[in-house]
Coordinates of all heavy atoms in Angstrom, one line a residue:
L156 N -13.2 0.7 7.4 CA -13.4 2.1 7.0 C -12.2 2.7 6.4 O -11.1 2.7 7.0 CB -13.9 2.9 8.3 CG -14.1 4.4 8.0 CD1 -15.3 4.6 7.1 CD2 -14.4 5.1 9.4
G157 N -12.3 3.3 5.2 CA -11.2 4.0 4.6 C -10.2 3.0 3.9 O -9.2 3.5 3.3
D161 N -13.3 -0.1 0.6 CA -14.3 0.8 1.2 C -14.4 2.1 0.3 O -15.5 2.5 0.0 CB -13.9 1.2 2.6 CG -15.0 1.9 3.3 OD1 -16.0 1.4 3.6 OD2 -14.7 3.1 3.7
V162 N -13.3 2.6 -0.1 CA -13.3 3.8 -1.0 C -13.9 3.5 -2.3 O -14.7 4.2 -2.9 CB -11.9 4.3 -1.2 CG1 -11.8 5.4 -2.3 CG2 -11.3 4.9 0.1
K165 N -17.8 3.2 -2.0 CA -18.5 4.4 -1.8 C -18.4 5.4 -3.0 O -19.3 6.1 -3.2 CB -17.9 5.1 -0.5 CG -18.3 4.3 0.8 CD -17.6 4.8 2.0 CE -18.0 4.1 3.2 NZ -17.3 4.4 4.5
K166 N -17.3 5.3 -3.7 CA -17.2 6.1 -4.9 C -18.2 5.6 -5.9 O -18.9 6.4 -6.6 CB -15.8 6.0 -5.5 CG -15.7 6.7 -6.9 CD -14.5 6.2 -7.7 CE -14.5 6.9 -9.1 NZ -13.5 6.4 -9.9
A169 N -21.7 6.6 -5.0 CA -21.9 8.0 -5.3 C -22.2 8.2 -6.7 O -23.1 9.0 -7.1 CB -20.7 8.8 -4.9
T174 N -25.6 7.2 -2.4 CA -25.0 7.6 -1.2 C -26.1 7.8 -0.2 O -27.0 8.6 -0.4 CB -24.1 8.8 -1.3 OG1 -23.1 8.5 -2.3 CG2 -23.5 9.2 0.0
K314 N -8.5 11.6 -5.6 CA -9.8 12.3 -5.9 C -11.0 11.4 -5.4 O -12.0 11.9 -5.0 CB -9.9 12.7 -7.3 CG -8.9 13.7 -7.8 CD -9.1 14.0 -9.3 CE -8.0 14.9 -9.8 NZ -8.1 15.1 -11.3
D315 N -10.8 10.1 -5.7 CA -11.9 9.1 -5.3 C -12.2 9.2 -3.8 O -13.3 8.9 -3.4 CB -11.5 7.7 -5.7 CG -11.5 7.5 -7.2 OD1 -11.9 8.4 -7.9 OD2 -10.9 6.5 -7.6
Q316 N -11.2 9.5 -3.0 CA -11.5 9.6 -1.5 C -12.4 10.7 -1.2 O -13.2 10.6 -0.3 CB -10.1 9.8 -0.8 CG -9.2 8.6 -1.0 CD -8.1 8.5 0.1 OE1 -8.2 9.3 1.1 NE2 -7.2 7.6 0.0
V317 N -12.4 11.8 -2.0 CA -13.3 12.9 -1.8 C -14.7 12.4 -2.2 O -15.7 12.6 -1.5 CB -12.9 14.1 -2.6 CG1 -13.9 15.3 -2.4 CG2 -11.5 14.6 -2.1
T318 N -14.8 11.8 -3.4 CA -16.1 11.3 -3.9 C -16.7 10.3 -3.0 O -17.9 10.3 -2.8 CB -15.9 10.7 -5.3 OG1 -15.2 11.6 -6.2 CG2 -17.2 10.3 -5.9
A319 N -15.9 9.5 -2.4 CA -16.3 8.5 -1.4 C -16.7 9.1 -0.1 O -17.3 8.4 0.8 CB -15.3 7.4 -1.3
G320 N -16.4 10.4 0.2 CA -16.7 11.0 1.5 C -15.7 10.6 2.5 O -15.9 10.9 3.7
I321 N -14.5 10.0 2.1 CA -13.5 9.7 3.1 C -12.6 10.9 3.5 O -12.1 11.0 4.6 CB -12.6 8.5 2.6 CG1 -13.5 7.3 2.2 CG2 -11.5 8.2 3.5 CD1 -14.2 6.7 3.4
A322 N -12.4 11.8 2.5 CA -11.6 13.0 2.7 C -12.3 14.2 2.2 O -13.1 14.1 1.3 CB -10.3 12.8 2.0
K323 N -12.1 15.3 2.8 CA -12.7 16.6 2.4 C -12.0 17.1 1.1 O -12.6 17.7 0.2 CB -12.6 17.6 3.5 CG -13.5 17.3 4.7 CD -13.5 18.4 5.7 CE -14.4 18.1 6.9 NZ -14.3 19.2 7.9
D324 N -10.7 16.9 1.1 CA -9.9 17.4 0.0 C -9.1 16.2 -0.5 O -8.6 15.4 0.3 CB -9.0 18.6 0.3 CG -9.8 19.8 0.8 OD1 -10.6 20.3 0.1 OD2 -9.5 20.2 2.0

Side-chain angles (χ1 to χ4, degrees):
L156 178 66
D161 189 64
V162 171
K165 290 173 179 174
K166 178 202 174 183
T174 301
K314 294 176 184 177
D315 290 349
Q316 297 202 4
V317 178
T318 305
I321 301 298
K323 291 183 179 179
D324 300 301

